[in-house]
Amino acid sequence: ADLSYFVEIVGRVVGEIESVDDSTMNLLFQVRTADGDEVLVPAHEELIRNIDTEERRMELELPEGLLDL
């Protein structure tokens, strides 16, 4: 399956999903940022606000500071 979705966090584009990490108890999206960094984002249904399959965008609502870890 093509996972090439762009991830937005409350209106701010964070990056593009490169893969899904299922090696832990919780699924994680591996997201490549515009700066070339990799961030892991929880792939939990309660955090997903919207998925636009036509625009290939996923909007997430993450706890404050999660991307800063």
Side-chain angles (χ1 to χ4, degrees):
D2 184 7
L3 294 175
S4 184
Y5 274 73
F6 288 94
V7 175
E8 294 184 23
I9 308 296
V10 192
R12 175 175 68 108
V13 175
V14 173
E16 186 173 354
I17 297 174
E18 290 194 327
S19 64
V20 176
D21 180 350
D22 62 356
S23 65
T24 64
M25 204 162 131
N26 300 307
L27 287 177
L28 299 169
F29 293 128
Q30 292 179 331
V31 178
R32 179 72 55 196
T33 68
D35 296 334
D37 296 329
E38 181 183 283
V39 293
L40 296 175
V41 178
H44 194 280
E45 66 185 41
E46 290 182 8
L47 301 176
I48 299 172
R49 294 177 76 195
N50 185 45
I51 297 175
D52 185 335
T53 55
E54 287 186 21
E55 293 290 322
R56 304 196 62 77
R57 292 189 178 273
M58 182 181 305
E59 186 177 358
L60 305 175
E61 185 170 351
L62 299 179
E64 190 72 32
L66 184 69
L67 293 177
D68 300 326
L69 297 176

